[in-house]
Amino acid sequence: MLKKIIIIGVVVVVAIVIGYNYIYQDHRDIETETAEFILSSNEITNHFSSDPTTAEQKFLNKTIEVSGVVSDLGINEITIDDNIFCQFTELNQDAISTNSQVTVKGRVIGYDDLLEQVKLDQCTILK
């Protein structure tokens, strides 16, 4: 009888530890991840404008590298070629300027039909 109680207790503790680790996983670190796709801003925009459903299935929540020319510069965001919106956790504005060529790595979070922009977050500047 004592063995059964000990075994049940061990199983319960192991289940709690596994459940806790599953629920409270570490957040993704996009900066250290390898990009699954390397595209120009025009290539990814063409994917989303021609077939948004298929493009979302292919790119959504994936880490990508996008290159193009900076068309708009904000406090913590940039827009590349007027069609890729990149949000940064921290942006060093001294390292980048409008009309400069840039390569950015980030996670695709969606496509804005109204503005016709692909949205990226957790971005970092590579070049």
Side-chain angles (χ1 to χ4, degrees):
M1 181 72 170
L2 184 60
K3 286 183 180 180
K4 288 182 181 179
I5 293 173
I6 291 173
I7 291 173
I8 290 172
V10 169
V11 169
V12 168
V13 169
V14 169
I16 290 171
V17 169
I18 291 172
Y20 179 84
N21 288 333
Y22 178 75
I23 292 171
Y24 296 104
Q25 295 178 23
D26 290 334
H27 294 286
R28 288 174 61 185
D29 186 9
I30 302 299
E31 187 173 354
T32 60
E33 285 185 18
T34 304
E36 294 184 44
F37 301 97
I38 299 173
L39 306 159
S40 71
S41 62
N42 292 330
E43 289 173 327
I44 193 163
T45 301
N46 289 340
H47 281 286
F48 276 97
S49 61
S50 64
D51 190 2
T53 306
T54 304
E56 277 193 358
Q57 291 173 349
K58 183 176 182 178
F59 296 110
L60 194 62
N61 207 24
K62 303 282 196 246
T63 302
I64 66 167
E65 284 183 24
V66 178
S67 57
V69 176
V70 177
S71 56
D72 190 28
L73 181 62
I75 295 172
N76 282 329
E77 68 272 342
I78 64 170
T79 305
I80 299 173
D81 293 329
D82 292 323
N83 53 20
I84 308 293
F85 179 82
C86 305
Q87 186 175 22
F88 295 82
T89 52
E90 187 176 319
L91 177 62
N92 181 2
Q93 292 188 347
D94 296 333
I96 193 168
S97 63
T98 306
N99 296 324
S100 62
Q101 183 71 27
V102 69
T103 301
V104 173
K105 180 167 65 169
R107 178 179 65 127
V108 177
I109 59 172
Y111 180 70
D112 187 338
D113 293 338
L114 182 63
L115 298 174
E116 296 180 347
Q117 289 182 333
V118 178
K119 304 286 186 174
L120 304 178
D121 73 347
Q122 300 181 35
C123 294
T124 55
I125 295 176
L126 301 177
K127 298 181 197 175

